[in-house]
Amino acid sequence: MNTSEESAKIEEFVRNLIETQEDLFLIEVKITPANTVIVSLDGDNGVTIENCTRVNKALYKFIEETGLFG
């Protein structure tokens, strides 16, 4: 799987995860050569630590369960 496919899967996952929070939105997903995933979020009222923690934990679980990076 190439980086753009992985990015697309992560982007879709994050969009689905935050869809119930109308004030929160995804800016971009970056994957470094070392497979570090950087997700940039923003919101109409800012982004809280709780928002970041929830997305981080769910994304970590998603990556582990799907074996996205082998």
Side-chain angles (χ1 to χ4, degrees):
M1 191 176 305
N2 65 37
T3 304
S4 63
E5 290 176 26
E6 293 160 340
S7 290
K9 287 186 179 211
I10 291 171
E11 187 173 319
E12 179 183 3
F13 175 79
V14 173
R15 285 187 195 282
N16 289 334
L17 183 66
I18 65 173
E19 73 182 351
T20 60
Q21 294 178 273
E22 295 177 9
D23 68 325
L24 199 60
F25 47 92
L26 178 65
I27 301 295
E28 70 178 335
V29 172
K30 290 184 182 178
I31 301 175
T32 68
N35 289 337
T36 300
V37 178
I38 302 168
V39 176
S40 299
L41 300 172
D42 200 357
D44 296 332
N45 300 311
V47 180
T48 65
I49 294 294
E50 289 80 16
N51 294 137
C52 294
T53 301
R54 185 173 71 88
V55 170
N56 182 64
K57 286 181 179 180
L59 183 56
Y60 180 81
K61 184 177 179 183
F62 171 75
I63 290 170
E64 288 295 310
E65 287 178 352
T66 60
L68 197 61
F69 294 108

